[in-house]
Amino acid sequence: MKNQVRDLRGEQGWSQADLAERLDVSRQTVNAIETGKYDPSLPLAFKIARLFGRPIEAIFQPADAEG
């Protein structure tokens, strides 16, 4: 799954550790999500979307999605 988490985090000026703290996950989890090695659970995806004030679909896209 492709995602915009790294870009959104960067716009906020947050480190991976900052985002991890806000989401109550490890920094390693944030890294794995950003690099596409881990797809977050649905509750975590909703939490990420709420934190950035965006719909889930604006943050996460299937790997085969165009654009």
Side-chain angles (χ1 to χ4, degrees):
M1 181 178 308
K2 293 193 269 184
N3 69 74
Q4 304 300 314
V5 174
R6 178 176 284 144
D7 294 336
L8 293 169
R9 177 177 60 78
E11 288 173 11
Q12 298 298 319
W14 297 339
S15 68
Q16 287 183 342
D18 293 332
L19 180 56
E21 186 174 326
R22 286 171 167 82
L23 295 173
D24 198 28
V25 298
S26 70
R27 186 203 55 78
Q28 290 85 354
T29 296
V30 170
N31 180 268
I33 291 169
E34 288 184 353
T35 58
K37 294 179 178 148
Y38 172 73
D39 292 337
S41 65
L42 196 52
L44 181 54
F46 272 107
K47 197 171 185 180
I48 292 167
R50 276 193 307 271
L51 180 64
F52 290 115
R54 310 257 173 120
I56 287 178
E57 298 86 359
I59 301 174
F60 298 97
Q61 303 84 32
D64 61 355
E66 304 244 351

